[in-house]
Amino acid sequence: MTRITAQRLTREAFAPFGDVIDMSGDNHYPINGGKAERYHDLATAEATGPNARVLISMVRGTPYELPLKLTMVERHPFGSQAFIPLSPRPFLVVVCQDGKEGPGEPHAFISAPGQGINYSRNVWHGVLTPLGDPQDFLIVDRGGDGSNLEEFHFSHAYEIHLP
């Protein structure tokens, strides 16, 4: 079993896989008479294919036992997929570059409390993995005709550790 240690989630490290969604960027401005601050254009939602549309959903995720035994990753060929936590707790993010015969070796990240992520279209990624307690997330992804899910099962498991 190959051991992988998760690293801190940063915009730079995650850029090949998608967007980090948080309020640390410079693109924000006041709205509603100065009573609210809008953090604008944090990620790009992609939706392609027949009858494509952007969906907003919610999910309650249950933590996995750690270290995580990663045996499968998935990707969405017709659209991006964003997970935005509704509580200020971290979660584990696993992604892979696209290889010649499927996904390459996984990269693992730990979000800071309140950080979300947006997987770009066709990026291999692990399943939603809250840390500690069950956690609720807002999901922004693609709806429409056709299957928007591909799964890949590794020939050997990866063991994902927290630092």
Side-chain angles (χ1 to χ4, degrees), residues 3 23 34 51 58 62 84 89 105-106 109 114 127 134 144 147 154 157:
R3 179 187 172 113
M23 296 197 294
N51 296 312
M58 296 174 82
T62 303
I84 304 157
R89 292 199 311 261
E105 185 165 304
F109 301 95
V127 297
S147 177
F154 292 109

Side-chain angles (χ1 to χ4, degrees), residues 55-97:
L55 299 177
I56 298 175
S57 306
M58 296 174 82
V59 65
R60 178 163 293 143
T62 303
Y64 286 76
E65 184 178 320
L66 296 174
L68 178 69
K69 306 285 189 286
L70 182 72
T71 59
M72 184 274 297
V73 291
E74 62 184 40
R75 68 178 176 182
H76 307 285
F78 294 130
S80 57
Q81 188 175 48
F83 290 93
I84 304 157
L86 297 176
S87 61
R89 292 199 311 261
F91 63 104
L92 183 64
V93 178
V94 177
V95 289
C96 303
Q97 296 280 1

Side-chain angles (χ1 to χ4, degrees), residues 10-136:
T10 66
R11 290 182 191 285
E12 297 76 24
F14 195 72
F17 309 105
D19 307 299
V20 173
I21 301 170
D22 63 19
M23 296 197 294
S24 67
D26 292 333
N27 195 10
H28 58 91
Y29 50 87
I31 61 171
N32 298 335
K35 295 291 187 179
E37 190 75 9
R38 179 177 175 138
Y39 292 82
H40 185 70
D41 197 13
L42 300 177
T44 300
E46 300 171 271
T48 65
N51 296 312
R53 65 189 188 286
V54 175
L55 299 177
I56 298 175
S57 306
M58 296 174 82
V59 65
R60 178 163 293 143
T62 303
Y64 286 76
E65 184 178 320
L66 296 174
L68 178 69
K69 306 285 189 286
L70 182 72
T71 59
M72 184 274 297
V73 291
E74 62 184 40
R75 68 178 176 182
H76 307 285
F78 294 130
S80 57
Q81 188 175 48
F83 290 93
I84 304 157
L86 297 176
S87 61
R89 292 199 311 261
F91 63 104
L92 183 64
V93 178
V94 177
V95 289
C96 303
Q97 296 280 1
D98 201 18
K100 290 181 180 179
E101 297 180 18
E105 185 165 304
H107 301 268
F109 301 95
I110 300 172
S111 71
Q115 272 184 324
I117 53 92
N118 182 48
Y119 298 118
S120 295
R121 183 170 62 93
N122 246 353
V123 167
W124 293 108
H125 61 86
V127 297
L128 180 62
T129 311
L131 297 172
D133 294 314
Q135 191 172 358
D136 296 339

